[in-house]
Amino acid sequence: MGVTIPPLLVLIVCKTVLAGAPDQNSAFTNWQNLEWATEHSMMVCRRNEIQLYDPVEGMRLSATDDPAPPLNPNFADFGQCARAGIRLSMDWDDSHRNTPWRVWRVGCPSPIVDTRTGTVIGYKLPECGHRDTVICDVDSVI
């Protein structure tokens, strides 16, 4: 029996500050003049695990159709991770527009491989970030 990839992505979100005068057209463009906030030359970030789901999972198009199968991402395919991560980070930033937090990085589950047999025995989610550039608040789940 194989190990399945969990339908999770990790968003590393970091604190921002206004970098100057606000744009006079920001009410129309939604543009903000932001830069990464730093404390002691380190970015302040959080690691958020986001559970992915398919809103049509289990639904039937008609009474005779089988239910839609569960979401089964193949994050071994970097393209699938990138596409899901781009959409997720845009949605996250939009829903947190009135907060100082913005997405800095997206991470996908990485395989844990048994070096003797070459088989995948599990998956690991990415850590918060670089110890020399990032201070990570407590991990949180959204």
Side-chain angles (χ1 to χ4, degrees):
M1 180 176 158
V3 178
T4 59
I5 298 174
L8 290 171
L9 288 181
V10 172
L11 293 182
I12 308 299
V13 297
C14 299
K15 198 176 260 188
T16 60
V17 293
L18 287 173
D23 181 14
Q24 295 174 340
N25 294 318
S26 64
F28 304 104
T29 63
N30 292 327
W31 185 81
Q32 295 174 308
N33 190 8
L34 301 175
E35 63 184 30
W36 300 116
T38 57
E39 293 178 9
H40 309 291
S41 300
M42 304 278 277
M43 292 171 56
V44 178
C45 301
R46 291 181 181 162
R47 178 182 170 275
N48 297 297
E49 293 180 11
I50 309 294
Q51 177 78 40
L52 302 179
Y53 68 95
D54 185 352
V56 298
E57 180 180 327
M59 291 177 59
R60 297 173 187 262
L61 296 177
S62 71
T64 59
D65 286 338
D66 290 332
L71 183 66
N72 188 15
N74 178 11
F75 289 145
D77 173 4
F78 180 73
Q80 281 193 20
C81 175
R83 281 189 299 277
I86 289 169
R87 180 79 248 165
L88 183 63
S89 57
M90 287 175 19
D91 291 345
W92 196 94
D93 278 350
D94 284 345
S95 67
H96 292 81
R97 179 163 290 289
N98 295 327
T99 72
W101 299 95
R102 296 295 180 270
V103 174
W104 178 50
R105 293 188 175 203
V106 176
C108 289
S110 299
I112 301 169
V113 179
D114 181 339
T115 55
R116 291 178 292 131
T117 64
T119 59
V120 175
I121 57 174
Y123 286 87
K124 180 180 184 328
L125 293 171
E127 299 298 324
C128 186
H130 309 272
R131 291 187 182 151
D132 57 340
T133 58
V134 173
I135 298 170
C136 210
D137 284 352
V138 178
D139 285 357
S140 59
V141 177
I142 296 178

